[in-house]
Amino acid sequence: MNRSLLRLSRHPRGRAAPHRLLRRRVRDIASGAEGELMAVIHENVSDSVLREHWVELAYVRGACGREFTTAAANIEPAEGQDPGPARGSAYR
């Protein structure tokens, strides 16, 4: 059996995490890129079967339509954006 498939089958899938900026315009402080926060997922980013390393990754869709990831701690409201919950958001 392919080792990478075996490793993937042992790790549970990431879970979506609620975030106050979900569906809002955000800025990645590491790169300066802006876009809409689409999701925050709790993912195991370890390359080892023996040791897990869980992080919260933010998925941001840029103006061009492509999504990029960054640490959830690296996002902030974009200039002029209210940091409150999005309208219609289930997470308040």
Side-chain angles (χ1 to χ4, degrees):
M1 179 177 227
N2 184 337
R3 283 181 180 241
S4 63
L5 290 176
L6 181 62
R7 181 174 37 218
L8 288 174
S9 66
R10 289 185 180 170
H11 294 287
R13 292 188 128 189
R15 295 178 295 134
H19 196 278
R20 66 187 178 88
L21 296 174
L22 197 61
R23 300 287 183 199
R24 291 225 175 241
R25 188 147 185 81
V26 296
R27 180 179 164 283
D28 174 22
I29 59 173
S31 67
E34 290 188 7
E36 181 181 352
L37 179 61
M38 303 307 292
V40 175
I41 307 291
H42 193 70
E43 290 188 27
N44 179 7
V45 296
S46 174
D47 61 352
S48 169
V49 177
L50 302 175
R51 183 179 46 210
E52 294 181 348
H53 181 75
W54 292 88
V55 297
E56 283 193 344
L57 286 178
Y59 286 78
V60 179
R61 181 174 295 159
C64 66
R66 285 193 169 170
E67 289 187 6
F68 62 92
T69 59
T70 187
N74 279 355
I75 58 172
E76 64 183 14
E79 274 302 302
Q81 291 291 310
D82 175 22
R87 223 176 245 146
S89 173
Y91 307 109
R92 294 186 187 259

